[in-house]
Amino acid sequence: MKSSTTMLPSNIANYASFFLLIISIILLIVGSKAQLNSTFYDNTCPNASSFVRGVIQQALQSDVRIGASLIRLHFHDCFVKGCDGSILLDNSANIQSEKDEAPNTNSTRGFNVVDNIKTALENSCPGIVSCADILALAAEASVSLQGGPSWTVLLGRRDSLTANQAGANSSIPSPFESLTNITAKFTAVGLNTNDLVALSGAHTFGRAQCRLFSSRLYNFSGTGNPDPTLNSSYLTTLQQICPQSGSGFNVANLEPTTPDSFDNNYFANLQNNRGLLQSDQELFSTSGAPTISIVNTFSSNQTAFFQSFA
């Protein structure tokens, strides 16, 4: 008996096999799309978070500002192309560093501590932990070591090989911007109004240079007068720190009550018109803004702030 199976010409069979192979590869890629998880390094570098925490603990002994500086690095990294470590890249023939754009130049700090963390990890787990994940782990450690909440850090980020200098200038919220503009920038990266207020609470510790708020002290919005929302005694204190003829590089505490602790006093200060940056005070002083009720909640309930921040 003759077989009822029809044989395909060999070239058609080869094309069919190749097509099925391509489909299989596509399905494999889609099906195995990487997801962040808390156990990413459990088998390859199980003590990664301990190394990060240890280096930061040591750095805090000589630089109480470093925790605030490290979480700011993570924030500025994530607002440009996502949390990919691109803020750490230096200038080269093919890279225009994000470090040189307005939000970062002569401002971002803590790169040496990141280098120390990377060295410690490379000595123990060479070629394993990404710099992007180092920034994420450092942000959590910096907050929890200075009295703030702890959270489970999801891991598995890959490092970018390119920077986005223009994006750093346009995407990172500015201390001079209106609440409307800042809200739009948070929305653009999938963050809502509650996230905006909670993450602004990172200004509960650290310092800011006078050049970032001196216009509020002397010539707010070109009026020739101080920002009317500034508490008068606080204004006097800030004018002493930042004289009108000064260089602009003196620093003031972002939160004057407990400047080196991560707590909810930032929000109480906003209620008393003692927010340092324009972008801080606008959370409470912008008439009718949905941020006002959130500031009130976080001021009276530190647990709510910590949960939202984490």
Side-chain angles (χ1 to χ4, degrees):
M1 293 179 60
K2 291 183 178 181
S3 171
S4 61
T5 303
T6 302
M7 298 298 292
L8 292 171
S10 62
N11 61 330
I12 295 178
N14 289 339
Y15 281 129
S17 298
F18 179 73
F19 178 76
L20 290 172
L21 176 63
I22 294 299
I23 293 297
S24 299
I25 291 172
I26 291 172
L27 290 174
L28 180 63
I29 292 172
V30 172
S32 63
K33 182 180 179 182
Q35 297 292 324
L36 301 183
N37 64 78
S38 60
T39 60
F40 189 82
Y41 298 115
D42 278 10
N43 295 322
T44 54
C45 195
N47 295 318
S49 61
S50 297
F51 281 115
V52 174
R53 192 176 185 88
V55 172
I56 294 174
Q57 280 181 312
Q58 184 176 6
L60 281 168
Q61 294 177 13
S62 58
D63 182 3
V64 74
R65 298 171 57 190
I66 198 61
S69 298
L70 289 171
I71 197 168
R72 185 164 178 256
L73 278 183
H74 184 46
F75 182 89
H76 281 213
D77 181 41
C78 292
F79 257 76
V80 184
K81 296 173 55 189
C83 310
D84 60 3
S86 59
I87 193 172
L88 302 176
L89 294 172
D90 291 325
N91 285 312
S92 71
N94 301 314
I95 293 173
Q96 287 185 303
S97 177
E98 293 171 19
K99 297 177 183 179
D100 294 335
E101 273 307 299
N104 298 324
T105 186
N106 297 318
S107 177
T108 47
R109 59 193 300 273
F111 297 106
N112 60 321
V113 176
V114 176
D115 288 343
N116 291 342
I117 294 170
K118 182 64 172 172
T119 298
L121 287 168
E122 288 300 303
N123 287 338
S124 179
C125 321
I128 299 296
V129 182
S130 69
C131 293
D133 277 344
I134 287 174
L135 290 180
L137 288 165
E140 187 279 333
S142 296
V143 169
S144 60
L145 283 170
Q146 292 189 258
S150 181
W151 61 89
T152 299
V153 181
L154 302 182
L155 301 165
R157 297 164 188 80
R158 296 305 185 195
D159 290 330
S160 175
L161 301 179
T162 60
N164 186 347
Q165 192 179 81
N169 203 36
S170 61
S171 301
I172 297 173
S174 160
F176 310 108
E177 285 188 288
S178 68
L179 180 57
T180 299
N181 287 352
I182 291 174
T183 300
K185 289 185 175 182
F186 273 75
T187 301
V189 293
L191 298 171
N192 62 31
T193 303
N194 193 79
D195 299 326
L196 162 58
V197 180
L199 292 174
S200 296
H203 288 172
T204 191
F205 65 167
R207 314 286 187 268
Q209 295 174 357
C210 293
R211 63 191 178 93
L212 300 179
F213 58 87
S214 59
S215 62
R216 300 186 70 206
L217 311 183
Y218 301 103
N219 187 25
F220 183 64
S221 297
T223 62
N225 296 306
D227 184 343
T229 64
L230 263 174
N231 176 285
S232 58
S233 62
Y234 188 44
L235 170 63
T236 300
T237 298
L238 293 176
Q239 287 176 332
Q240 292 171 350
I241 297 171
C242 307
Q244 194 165 10
S245 59
S247 68
F249 288 97
N250 289 351
V251 295
N253 295 325
L254 277 163
E255 193 278 287
T257 310
T258 51
D260 299 322
S261 298
F262 196 99
D263 54 33
N264 67 335
N265 282 332
Y266 166 83
F267 300 103
N269 279 292
L270 297 185
Q271 291 173 319
N272 294 316
N273 292 327
R274 291 165 63 90
L276 183 65
L277 306 179
Q278 176 185 337
S279 55
D280 290 328
Q281 193 58 52
E282 287 199 3
L283 297 176
F284 188 75
S285 297
T286 302
S287 179
T291 53
I292 296 173
S293 61
I294 304 172
V295 170
N296 289 335
T297 297
F298 290 163
S299 176
S300 63
N301 187 339
Q302 181 167 273
T303 299
F305 164 49
F306 279 10
Q307 289 175 343
S308 290
F309 188 90

